[in-house]
């Protein structure tokens, strides 16, 4: 048996946190992977993690049978995890169901529903005395129309298990409604469109206690982002933030949902002094939001996050405070990259402290309607959110990407 903590880690989502965890040498890992998410794994990544034991959950087998296979594997390897971490939003249900059956720390079915099903989530907010948008589950456009007539246009329509704005739409009027396609294969909801300023908050939780909260500003709302607005989040280590007691707000959610530990990400609105809670997830925030907090406060955010999943109180000693944001570089279409701004060019721009460009000349890329659609990202620093946003827009003005269509293969002469 290992003398180090052994962690069952849900693998596959391309987060910086995942890369941090697999490089740690003070914890033994067993990777949990799901066959249904095979497309998330590049061959390079599989090669880089080939030295780590990995258990693949088969899609076509009963979960109880897969847990028995998992236990047989841990007996063979001598690595028997006692800790569990799932950083992925779409894997919440299956990952925690697996952990429950494997005897590992987990969310209950009801807790998974609260942090995953957005209709049940908002119902729970109301039970806790928190304001949130009016909403209802729907299955037809007629039900959406009925809701809009009661609550006013525009409305927001989304799957109850959506994330990253995938299949989420702002429906402005009857004309937009006519273009809406509610697939019966999914469960849908409609909610009122909330005005005011939208904010984000991330927190670390241990033993049911909120250890600290880090607010973020968004230059544009997620639903505007998928329609082409600036795609960025700015961690507010300095400067003005929302006029809200964030620790108290997040603690009310944590206590009310009985959440014991983990990384919590929440979105909320402040409209004329009124706070409305939007959504909450007990998993890593998307894009590079966690890294923003590390850069903004001067601490190892990924090490601190791993600590709470290992039952340790993290070191939250901050070395500085500033504003740092992640700006996602636009990927405006699908095809072959003919030209893209290089990382060294981005790093030479004012305020840019880190840059990652995922594609190069000749790569074939696919653009999707989702909030993390991008060709890469930069981290931009400044003393205020306004300064960071100005520098981000300077980057966007100078960033260039050219994509040419990829045509069908040429016909071969007989």
């Amino acid at each position: 048996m290992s003398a180090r903590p052994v962690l069952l880690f849900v693998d596959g989502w391309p987060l910086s946190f995942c890369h941090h965890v697999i490089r740690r040498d003070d914890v033994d890992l067993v990777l949990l992977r799901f066959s249904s998410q095979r497309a998330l794994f590049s061959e390079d990544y599989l090669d880089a993690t080939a030295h780590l034991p990995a258990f693949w959950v088969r899609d076509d087998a009963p979960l109880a049978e897969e847990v028995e296979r998992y236990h047989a594997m841990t007996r063979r390897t001598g690595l028997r995890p006692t800790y569990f971490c799932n950083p992925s939003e779409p894997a919440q249900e299956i990952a925690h169901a697996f952990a429950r059956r494997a005897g590992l720390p987990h969310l209950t079915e009801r807790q998974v529903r609260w942090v995953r099903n957005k209709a049940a989530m908002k119902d729970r907010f109301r039970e806790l005395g928190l304001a949130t948008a009016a909403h209802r589950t729907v299955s037809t456009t007629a039900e959406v129309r009925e809701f809009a007539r009661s609550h006013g246009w525009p409305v927001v329509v989304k799957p109850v298990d959506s994330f990253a704005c995938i299949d989420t739409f702002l429906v402005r009027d009857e004309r937009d409604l006519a273009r809406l396609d509610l697939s019966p294969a999914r469960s849908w909801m409609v909610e009122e469109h909330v005005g005011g300023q939208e904010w984000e908050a991330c927190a670390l939780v241990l033993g049911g206690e909120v250890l600290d909260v880090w607010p973020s500003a968004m230059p544009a709302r997620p639903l505007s982002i998928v329609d082409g607005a600036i795609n960025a989040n700015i961690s507010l280590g300095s400067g003005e933030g929302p006029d809200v007691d964030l620790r108290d707000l997040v603690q009310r959610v944590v206590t009310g949902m009985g959440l014991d530990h983990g990384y919590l990400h929440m979105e909320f609105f402040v409209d004329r002094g009124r706070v409305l809670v939007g959504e909450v997830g007990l998993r890593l925030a998307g894009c590079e939001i966690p890294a923003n907090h590390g850069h903004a406060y001067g601490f190892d955010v990924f090490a601190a996050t791993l600590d709470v999943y290992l039952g340790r109180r993290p070191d939250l000693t901050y070395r500085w405070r500033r504003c740092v944001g992640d700006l996602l570089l636009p990927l405006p279409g699908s095809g072959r990259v003919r030209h893209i701004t290089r990382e060294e060019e981005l790093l030479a721009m004012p305020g840019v402290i880190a840059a990652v460009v995922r594609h190069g000349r000749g790569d074939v890329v696919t653009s999707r309607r989702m909030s993390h659609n991008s060709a890469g990202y930069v981290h931009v620093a400044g003393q205020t959110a306004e300064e960071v946003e100005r520098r981000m827009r300077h980057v966007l003005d100078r960033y260039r990407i050219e994509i040419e269509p990829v045509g069908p293969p040429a016909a071969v002469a007989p």
Side-chain angles (χ1 to χ4, degrees), residues 112-292:
V112 169
R113 185 169 171 80
W114 284 339
V115 300
R116 182 77 172 107
N117 182 301
K118 299 184 189 307
M121 179 189 301
K122 291 178 184 294
D123 289 341
R124 185 57 178 164
F125 289 154
R126 290 189 180 276
E127 292 170 354
L128 298 177
L130 300 171
T132 190
H135 65 282
R136 64 167 288 189
T137 56
V138 295
S139 58
T140 67
T141 55
E143 291 173 322
V144 176
R145 180 184 296 108
E146 179 185 345
F147 180 90
R149 286 174 177 169
S150 297
H151 297 277
W153 301 98
V155 295
V156 178
V157 178
K158 66 180 76 171
V160 298
D161 61 350
S162 179
F163 72 104
C165 287
I166 299 172
D167 295 328
T168 299
F169 300 96
L170 179 66
V171 182
R172 297 175 178 83
D173 51 32
E174 292 273 359
R175 288 169 297 179
D176 282 350
L177 184 62
R179 294 190 285 269
L180 197 62
D181 180 19
L182 302 184
S183 167
R186 305 191 71 177
S187 298
W188 296 85
M189 65 179 291
V190 59
E191 63 185 27
E192 65 176 332
H193 181 260
V194 177
Q197 176 69 44
E198 185 171 1
W199 302 87
E200 298 169 319
C202 295
L204 288 183
V205 178
L206 182 64
E209 176 193 357
V210 175
L211 303 181
D212 207 353
V213 184
W214 310 300
S216 294
M218 291 181 286
R221 289 189 175 196
L223 274 178
S224 299
I225 288 169
V226 295
D227 289 331
I230 182 173
N231 193 348
N233 309 271
I234 304 172
S235 179
L236 303 172
S238 63
E240 294 187 10
D243 186 18
V244 177
D245 186 342
L246 284 181
R247 189 187 292 266
D248 177 72
L249 178 63
V250 176
Q251 186 67 63
R252 289 178 66 183
V253 173
V254 167
T255 302
M257 293 186 173
L259 305 177
D260 179 74
H261 66 277
Y263 186 113
L264 181 144
H265 178 68
M266 187 169 74
E267 298 165 0
F268 64 98
F269 302 84
V270 180
D271 186 15
R272 292 166 291 186
R274 185 178 181 224
V275 178
L276 293 93
V277 184
E279 297 177 0
V280 67
L282 194 70
R283 41 76 180 165
L284 270 287
C287 303
E288 290 296 314
I289 296 172
N292 290 341

Side-chain angles (χ1 to χ4, degrees), residues 16 263 287-296 299 301-302 324 377 379:
S16 295
Y263 186 113
C287 303
E288 290 296 314
I289 296 172
N292 290 341
H293 301 317
H295 289 305
F299 77 113
V301 65
F302 297 130
V324 178
Y377 60 88
H379 286 293

